[in-house]
Amino acid sequence: MAKEIHNRKIKVTADGSHTFVLPDWKEHYHSVNGAISESRHVFIKNGLAQQAEGLKEYHILEVGFGTGLNALLSLEYGKKKALRLNYLGLEPYPFTLDEVKRLNYPKLVSGGIFSDVFMQMHELPFGKIAEFSKGFTFSKWQIGLDLAPLASSSFHLVYHDAFAPQFQPELWDEEAFYRLYSVLKPGGRLVTYSSKGSVKRALTACGFALKHPAGPTGKREMTVAVKNF
Ligand SMILES: C[S@@+](CC[C@H](N)C(=O)[O-])C[C@H]1O[C@@H](n2cnc3c(N)ncnc32)[C@H](O)[C@@H]1O
């Protein structure tokens, strides 16, 4: 894996926002139909915005922190709705600061008002916790999902944003989803862009109840998996 992650190239997607591509896998970090629009649709509109009905404080786990785009969009949404967010990103193969500085996300989100926080998230050493912006507590761990010491029933939301199942099947099987089921609070939800048959079957086998809202541009559907009470 580490070898293939080498050599990432930046690319502009259809909505003008950047993504990175892994030439060895021909796999992108986001949809080429629009990185920001995909993330807003999958993780904010069908994730945080749905789960946010009622509560004022949320614990969010992201599997695959990567460029930090989902954290940035969560911060933006949380500010708009006056939510208190506690965000933990897992990322075994982090970007360098030079790579991060090339991304146009801070400029394209809320007119740049979160640019400083975006860089601070990337600069924060792994394992430290910081409140960069009032109501937004952030931490990231340089570790894969399989080894992360996560407490059970501690998250309201999981953003499952791993590379596609054909590249990293171990992040989409029953073992991985059972782990994520157990770290979610009752009623919590896992959201992901994938609606592959094998993914649906593995999620169902772990006890999740599934919904399949329309996907982002270019995808018929996505998956919302809810942990039943
Ligand atoms: C499709 S990319 C999405 C990244 C990120 N959410 C973003 O918006 O940039 C998948 C991410 O999962 C990370 N990853 C790879 N193996 C992982 C593992 N075992 N556990 C957690 N994340 C992993 C990759 O390094 C990559 O950053």
Side-chain angles (χ1 to χ4, degrees):
M1 174 89 189
K3 187 170 158 280
E4 293 92 337
I5 288 243
H6 212 65
N7 206 19
R8 303 181 265 222
K9 303 261 186 286
I10 205 159
K11 185 167 165 174
V12 180
T13 67
D15 65 2
S17 61
H18 284 147
T19 192
F20 275 92
V21 58
L22 298 174
D24 291 354
W25 285 357
K26 298 189 178 58
E27 169 72 330
H28 294 82
Y29 275 69
H30 307 92
S31 165
V32 293
N33 294 314
I36 288 186
S37 43
E38 176 194 39
S39 291
R40 275 199 211 284
H41 180 87
V42 175
F43 300 104
I44 307 302
K45 181 173 171 213
N46 287 290
L48 183 56
Q50 299 297 319
Q51 202 64 13
E53 285 169 6
L55 284 184
K56 279 290 174 201
E57 176 161 11
Y58 294 87
H59 289 265
I60 302 173
L61 172 70
E62 178 168 25
V63 180
F65 172 70
T67 60
L69 175 58
N70 294 330
L72 175 66
L73 296 177
S74 299
L75 167 66
E76 178 191 48
Y77 185 84
K79 286 283 175 200
K80 221 182 287 169
K81 300 287 177 185
L83 303 176
R84 187 166 178 85
L85 302 182
N86 306 280
Y87 202 98
L88 171 62
L90 303 181
E91 182 50 72
Y93 310 104
F95 283 97
T96 64
L97 289 180
D98 283 343
E99 286 173 310
V100 171
K101 283 180 191 152
R102 298 173 62 201
L103 288 164
N104 61 6
Y105 302 149
K107 258 199 317 227
L108 297 179
V109 173
S110 284
I113 59 170
F114 302 118
S115 300
D116 289 349
V117 180
F118 183 70
M119 280 318 293
Q120 285 163 357
M121 285 195 278
H122 284 282
E123 284 160 1
L124 184 74
F126 284 95
K128 299 274 184 225
I129 300 180
E131 187 171 2
F132 296 125
S133 173
K134 199 168 168 354
F136 185 75
T137 303
F138 176 81
S139 184
K140 60 187 178 177
W141 296 350
Q142 189 171 6
I143 194 166
L145 173 64
D146 54 333
L147 297 176
L150 300 163
S152 30
S153 301
S154 50
F155 295 95
H156 299 92
L157 259 179
V158 169
Y159 295 164
H160 192 66
D161 200 12
F163 289 124
Q166 68 265 35
F167 301 111
Q168 286 201 286
E170 71 280 10
L171 290 173
W172 301 91
D173 62 12
E174 282 183 34
E175 195 181 329
F177 289 141
Y178 189 69
R179 240 177 117 50
L180 293 172
Y181 186 90
S182 58
V183 304
L184 275 170
K185 294 176 184 289
R189 64 170 58 200
L190 175 155
V191 276
T192 185
Y193 61 86
S194 179
S195 60
K196 205 176 168 193
S198 58
V199 170
K200 293 179 184 175
R201 285 190 292 279
L203 284 164
T204 305
C206 294
F208 282 107
L210 303 191
K211 295 183 216 167
H212 299 290
T217 307
K219 271 191 93 86
R220 198 165 59 84
E221 57 178 30
M222 54 165 281
T223 299
V224 175
V226 180
K227 177 174 178 170
N228 285 321
F229 291 87

